[in-house]
Amino acid sequence: MFRFLLLAVILTAGTAQAQTAPSASDIASYTGLHLAAHEGDVDEINRLITTGSDVDIRDLSQRTPAHVAAFASHDDALIALANGGADMNALENRVYDVLTIAAVADDPEMVSLAMELGNAPDLITSVYDGTALIAAAHLGHHDVVARLVEGGAPLDHINNLAWTALIEAVVLGNGGPDHIKTVQILVDAGADKSIGDRDGVTPLQYATSRGYAEMIEILQ
């Protein structure tokens, strides 16, 4: 019973805990590096860094210019900021880093880039004490999951809901092709199929209870 109540709470609260990209009012207020990052203006980023601007300056939601560049999917801007000394492991007020922002956005190229620029794949993110891999698995972003696995993301990290990436791919997925591919990638990479939730329920048991035949075959 506990796990079903927990799932209901998560689904209800999901929107409240989700990442929040800069709003129209945030963007209208941006100046300096935040504005240049949002616009992807590499020349302006380089000029501002050269003249002494704080590369990790925060907006009202504690986003750095690197976070803003990630939300805007500006790879070149992110590179310029990293080259200028930006903290690639900085967390904004919802406890997200660049890597998890890119993972949730289903942006495989930025995911790989963020790791190349020093964003740690094992960084603990979100109010659920998760990782970028758990976030991507939850959403069925299998291309991102593959990049994160290749980059060394921890396969069996357990968040504060007592769920791994593999459990989330089953519990919070829809049993469709994207989540099936996610489960396959995780299993092939060596994710521990035996890890259960707080009640000891395993990914296979969850898949069985939902009638997810393809996942059952992978998890058996």
Side-chain angles (χ1 to χ4, degrees):
M1 177 61 72
F2 174 79
R3 64 179 179 271
F4 296 115
L5 291 175
L6 179 61
L7 180 56
V9 170
I10 293 165
L11 294 176
T12 301
T15 300
Q17 303 297 346
Q19 294 176 7
T20 303
S23 66
S25 61
D26 289 331
I27 294 166
S29 72
Y30 281 167
T31 60
L33 281 172
H34 280 110
L35 179 60
H38 174 72
E39 294 180 342
D41 189 338
V42 174
D43 289 340
E44 181 67 359
I45 288 171
N46 290 332
R47 185 189 72 79
L48 288 167
I49 291 173
T50 300
T51 56
S53 293
D54 180 1
V55 74
D56 291 320
I57 189 171
R58 303 280 183 153
D59 70 6
L60 293 177
S61 294
Q62 295 299 299
R63 304 183 196 95
T64 66
H67 292 128
V68 173
F71 275 119
S73 297
H74 289 315
D75 290 9
D76 290 342
L78 190 64
I79 292 170
L81 290 163
N83 288 341
D87 180 4
M88 290 299 297
N89 294 294
L91 301 173
E92 41 87 271
N93 70 338
R94 292 182 180 270
V95 205
Y96 288 108
D97 61 342
V98 165
L99 186 60
T100 311
I101 290 168
V104 169
D106 201 10
D107 189 342
E109 296 302 325
M110 181 167 280
V111 163
S112 293
L113 176 62
M115 290 188 289
E116 289 171 10
L117 295 174
N119 203 156
D122 61 350
L123 195 65
I124 305 303
T125 63
S126 88
V127 297
Y128 300 115
D129 293 340
T131 61
L133 181 63
I134 289 178
H138 164 190
L139 296 167
H141 293 166
H142 52 84
D143 288 336
V144 167
V145 167
R147 301 285 182 107
L148 289 167
V149 167
E150 184 179 355
L155 295 174
D156 298 320
H157 175 79
I158 301 171
N159 65 18
N160 61 21
L161 303 172
W163 288 349
T164 62
L166 194 53
I167 289 176
E168 290 222 0
V170 180
V171 173
L172 299 180
N174 59 13
D178 291 336
H179 287 94
I180 292 168
K181 288 180 183 177
T182 296
V183 169
Q184 186 72 68
I185 291 166
L186 291 169
V187 170
D188 287 348
D192 189 340
K193 298 181 289 183
S194 70
I195 297 175
D197 64 9
R198 285 192 180 97
D199 295 327
V201 182
T202 65
L204 176 58
Q205 290 171 315
Y206 272 119
T208 300
S209 70
R210 286 160 169 73
Y212 294 162
E214 294 90 343
M215 288 185 180
I216 293 169
E217 184 175 350
I218 296 167
L219 293 165
Q220 283 180 329

